Amino acid sequence: NMAKSTIPLTPCDSRQLATHGYDQDTKTLAIQFKQKNGTTHPYHYQNVSQDQYDAFCKAESLGHHFNTTFKNNPAHPFIKMVPDEEKEAA
């Protein structure tokens, strides 16, 4: 049962990240990564506090901050979100 991303995503100025968003109720950071032909599906990183998200938003380099704080961090496991149209086709 694949979840659907309901977190609004904001475009950001980053070489690596296309968009980001945050849901305070579930403490979830949502990220879309840039790739050659557009963006990836949203990835939802778990256990992210409001303070951590605020620090991420204020970071000089969002990509660097993301890589050092959330990427490959067992404290912040991620879920790859899949759009509805792909779920039905699967």
Side-chain angles (χ1 to χ4, degrees), residues 48-62:
V48 177
S49 70
Q50 180 72 57
D51 286 346
Q52 284 178 307
Y53 182 63
D54 292 344
F56 165 78
C57 291
K58 291 184 190 122
E60 200 170 315
S61 165
L62 293 181

Side-chain angles (χ1 to χ4, degrees), residues 18-73:
T19 67
H20 65 82
Y22 181 69
D23 181 57
Q24 200 170 11
D25 292 338
T26 58
K27 294 186 162 36
T28 302
L29 169 67
I31 298 280
Q32 279 181 302
F33 299 97
K34 288 184 175 168
Q35 51 189 17
K36 284 194 186 77
N37 58 349
T39 61
T40 63
H41 295 316
Y43 286 78
H44 282 189
Y45 289 80
Q46 311 300 303
N47 311 323
V48 177
S49 70
Q50 180 72 57
D51 286 346
Q52 284 178 307
Y53 182 63
D54 292 344
F56 165 78
C57 291
K58 291 184 190 122
E60 200 170 315
S61 165
L62 293 181
H64 179 74
H65 188 92
F66 171 81
N67 288 341
T68 54
T69 309
F70 303 113
K71 190 179 179 184
N72 300 328
N73 182 341

